[in-house]
Amino acid sequence: MNRINQLFQNKNKNILSIYYTAGYPNLDDTLTIARALEEAGADMLEIGFPYSDPVADGPVIQASSKQALDNGMDLKLLFEQLKDLRKYVNIPVLLMGYVNPLLQYGVENFCKACAEVGVDGLIVPDLPMVEYEEFYKDTFQQYGISNVFLITPQTAVERIHKIVELTNGFIYMVSSSATTGKNLSLSQVTEDYFSRVAALELKNPTMIGFGISDQPSFEKACQYASGAIIGTAFVKALQSDKLEESIQGFMIGFSK
Amino acid sequence: MEYFVNEKGYYGDFGGAYIPEMLYPNVEELRQNYMSIINDEGFQEEFKKLLKDYVGRPSPLYLAKRLSSKYHANIFLKREDLNHTGAHKINNTIGQILLAERLGKKRIIAETGAGQHGVATATVCALRGLECVIYMGEIDIERQAPNVARMKMLGATVVPATSGSKTLKDATNEAMRDWVNNPVDTHYIIGSVVGPHPYPDMVALFQSIISEETKKQLIEQTGRDQPDYVLACVGGGSNAMGMFYHFINDAAVKLIAVEAAGKGVSSGYTAATTALGKEGVLHGSRSILMQTEDGQVVEPFSVSAGLDYPGIGPQHAHLFKTTRAQYVSITDEEALNAGLLCTQLEGIIPAIESAHAIAQLEKMEFKAGENVVVCLSGRGDKDMETYMKYFGL
C-alpha cells in the first residue's frame, strides 16, 4: 500500500496538503521546503513541476512556474533533487504538472523515476481520462503511482463514478470552476456541490483544493472532505531570504 | 489514408482533447452538439446568407496576370482579403457566433495575434449583440494598434496578455483561463484550427468555404476543378486548412503549407514549427510544437503576428507526418519583399502573413500551363507600419 492510501487509512479528517512549485523561490529549495513542511505539520505534499503554459493556474502559481524555469528547473534536475527525499520526508508526496513535460520525459521513465525516489502519486490536470485509461494506466499501476483526477462543480455524477473506477488515489475536488488562487466563495452553490459529492459516499477519499488559503476556509472544506489543499496562499507566503521562517510562519496559522 | 478527424477526435496520432477538468463540460457540450447544429438546414441557410450578404462571398478567384508571367504558370489568388474585416477569419467567427447562440451562450471570448481574428470576433459580436472580450499579447497590441482600435470601436474589451512572450500563445492561455473561470455562459471562439477537439474540425469546416468556392471558380475559369498546386501560409493553420479542405482527398493536387521562418530557421527567432518542432501537447491537442528537451514551449518569432505561434493544428501535423502536404518556410525578409512584389505587379497589398505564401512561388519550378492557387488570406492595411519601416516609405 502506498503512502497516500496509508495516510487516509490512519487519518480521515483535517488532512492538510500543501502545494509548492519545484525550483521556487530558489532552484535548490525543493527538498528544504518538503522537510520544513513535514516538520511544521503538513500531512501531504504536492510538488509542482513547472510548465511554460500553465492554463489552469492563476497569476501567483504562473509566476512561480516562470521563476522556477528561469532558475533552471527541469524534470531531470527535479528527480536528482528528490534522490534523497525518503531519507528526510515520510509523508506522501505527489508531483503535479502539465502533460507535455511528462510526455517529453516519457511516461514510463517518469513513473519509474517517481517510484525510485519515493513519489507516491501524480496530478496532471490536462491528461484526459480517456487517454489515461487507454495508454497510461497500466504503466502507472506497474510502478505503484496513484493518478489523481480533478472534479469540479460541473462534473457529472457518472463521470465521478468513472474516475473512481480508474484510480485508487484521492479525488481532487476543485472548489469552484476557476483557475488557482481565487478566494473560496462559500456560496450556497459551492456548499451544495460539496454536500452532493459527500453524499455519493465514494470509496476514494476526497480533498478540496483551489481557493483554500487560511484556517477558516480550511475548516470549512474539512466539513465536507477528508481534507484540503493549499497552494497559492503558501507560494505567496514563501520568502527566499527567510525560507524556513516563512514556512513556519504560514503553517502556524493552521491548527488541525 | 484518412485525413479527417475520427470519432475519437484524432487525426492519426494527433488531436484529442487535453484539457483540465474545468473545461471538460464546455468542450463536451460542443463536441456533442457541433455536428448536428452545423448540419441543421436552418443553420446552413443563415450561415450562407450572412457569408453572402454580410461578408461579401464568394470571394473572387483572381488570375494574377503579371505574377503569372513572372512565374510561368497560371497564378490564381483566392481573394480572402476582400472579405468584410479584411481576412478569412470572419468565415469562422460567423459560423461560431451562430453556433454559440444556439448553445444559449451570452458572452464571447477570443484570442488574437495580428488582431484579425479579434476584429472578426468583435464584429460578429456587434452584429449579434453579444458581450465580447478579446485577449491579445501586449507586444501584438503595440504592433497592431489599428486593429486594437477597431475592436474597441466595435464594443469589445481588449485584455492584454502580459505573460511569456506576450504574443498569440499567451493570449490563448489567457483566453483558456477566462473560460475556466466562466464555464457556463461563455463561448470561446478559437480563431484557428487548434485547440481541443472539436475545435480543429469545427474551424476547418467553417473555413472550408474557401476551397468549396475555389473548386467552382476553377471550373468556370479553367474548365476543371483540379489545380496543380495549392499554397497557403500556416500559423495555427486556419486559412490553409480552409484552402486545402476540399482538395485533401484529391492526391493529384499538391498542397503546400508555408510557415514563418522569422529571421531564419536556425536563427533562434523563428516560427517554423514543422522544421524544429516535436510531437507534444499544446493548447488542448496533441500536435507538433516547438519545445525544449524538457517539454517547455519555445517562444516563437515572426514579423507577422498571425504566424507567430509555436504550434500547428493537429490536422496539419497529420498532413505533415503523412507527407500529404509539403511544409516549407519563408523568412521575414522574403515575405516582405513578396508583399511589395505583389503590390507592384498586381495592385494588391497583402497581409504579411499571406505574403509568406506568395514568396514561396519564387522557390518553385512550374511547368507551363500549370494552375496554382495561392490563398491571399488577408489584406495588408494592418501591416502598413511594418512595410513602411522596412522599405523606408
Side-chain angles (χ1 to χ4, degrees), chain A residues 137-156:
Chain A
K137 189 179 160 206
D138 293 346
T139 311
F140 275 58
Q141 287 181 347
Q142 184 193 334
Y143 290 97
I145 307 297
S146 293
N147 189 31
V148 169
F149 288 99
L150 273 52
I151 64 171
T152 78
Q154 270 82 38
T155 307

Side-chain angles (χ1 to χ4, degrees), chain B residues 74-288:
Chain B
N74 302 317
I75 311 290
F76 292 89
L77 302 177
K78 180 58 176 163
R79 298 291 308 275
E80 294 299 303
D81 61 316
L82 292 178
N83 291 339
H84 179 43
T85 72
H88 70 290
K89 292 289 185 187
I90 192 130
N91 304 329
N92 169 48
T93 59
I94 295 262
Q96 284 204 48
I97 199 100
L98 295 180
L99 194 130
E101 283 177 349
R102 281 158 174 80
L103 291 171
K105 305 292 179 180
K106 303 278 176 253
R107 180 173 173 270
I108 299 295
I109 56 171
E111 84 296 337
T112 194
Q116 291 304 103
H117 174 57
V119 168
T121 303
T123 297
V124 296
C125 286
L127 178 69
R128 308 301 282 203
L130 293 183
E131 185 189 344
C132 179
V133 178
I134 305 290
Y135 290 89
M136 186 167 185
E138 208 170 39
I139 288 182
D140 292 336
I141 286 181
E142 277 166 34
R143 60 182 169 179
Q144 304 289 346
N147 271 345
V148 176
R150 290 163 83 195
M151 286 184 265
K152 287 184 177 166
M153 192 167 167
L154 288 158
T157 306
V158 181
V159 182
T162 56
S163 59
S165 58
K166 304 178 176 63
T167 60
L168 180 56
K169 163 178 92 81
D170 312 286
T172 309
N173 291 340
E174 288 305 328
M176 287 179 96
R177 287 186 188 112
D178 181 309
W179 212 21
V180 167
N181 284 298
N182 299 286
V184 180
D185 67 336
T186 298
H187 176 70
Y188 177 16
I189 299 191
I190 295 184
S192 192
V193 286
V194 302
H197 176 67
Y199 276 101
D201 186 43
M202 182 170 72
V203 177
L205 274 169
F206 291 141
Q207 292 295 357
S208 68
I209 186 75
I210 300 174
S211 47
E212 188 185 316
E213 288 173 4
T214 300
K215 283 183 91 141
K216 286 185 203 147
Q217 291 163 324
L218 278 171
I219 291 184
E220 287 162 19
Q221 297 184 38
T222 70
R224 57 189 195 113
D225 69 354
Q226 244 183 2
D228 296 285
Y229 293 92
V230 172
L231 281 77
C233 64
V234 173
S238 70
N239 91 82
M241 204 45 73
M243 187 74 250
F244 292 172
Y245 200 91
H246 291 285
F247 298 113
I248 288 177
N249 283 330
D250 184 346
V253 181
K254 298 180 203 66
L255 308 176
I256 296 176
V258 186
E259 297 181 331
K263 296 183 179 177
V265 171
S266 316
S267 67
Y269 295 91
T270 180
T273 302
T274 58
L276 299 172
K278 282 184 302 181
E279 293 179 19
V281 169
L282 176 65
H283 294 148
S285 62
R286 196 184 255 271
S287 186
I288 295 173

Side-chain angles (χ1 to χ4, degrees), chain A residues 50-55 57 62 69 74-75 100-101 104 125-126 128 131 136 150 154-155 159 177-179 182, chain B residues 8 10 17-22 24-25 169 173 177 180-181 183-184 279-281 286 291 293-297:
Chain A
Y51 179 49
S52 52
D53 296 78
V55 294
D57 285 302
Q62 278 177 50
L69 290 172
D74 62 27
L75 279 174
N100 196 51
Q104 301 312 316
D126 59 344
E131 273 74 10
Y136 307 125
L150 273 52
Q154 270 82 38
T155 307
R159 194 165 159 83
S177 280
T179 43
K182 297 266 159 84
Chain B
K8 288 182 173 171
Y10 277 82
Y18 291 76
I19 45 168
E21 184 63 25
M22 294 77 105
Y24 179 82
K169 163 178 92 81
N173 291 340
R177 287 186 188 112
V180 167
N181 284 298
V184 180
E279 293 179 19
V281 169
R286 196 184 255 271
Q291 55 183 315
E293 288 264 297
D294 189 44
Q296 309 299 335
V297 183

Side-chain angles (χ1 to χ4, degrees), chain A residues 169-234:
Chain A
F170 62 88
I171 306 293
Y172 192 134
M173 286 175 69
V174 176
S175 64
S176 63
S177 280
T179 43
T180 55
K182 297 266 159 84
N183 286 330
L184 176 66
S185 70
L186 298 170
S187 66
Q188 196 56 45
V189 179
T190 314
E191 294 197 32
D192 286 352
Y193 153 61
F194 290 168
S195 308
R196 203 167 65 233
V197 176
L200 294 175
E201 296 184 3
L202 305 172
K203 75 171 170 58
N204 307 40
T206 53
M207 295 284 287
I208 293 176
F210 286 44
I212 314 298
S213 58
D214 51 15
Q215 177 73 15
S217 49
F218 176 68
E219 273 175 18
K220 190 82 199 173
C222 288
Q223 289 174 18
Y224 298 94
S226 300
I229 301 152
I230 297 176
T232 299
F234 178 72

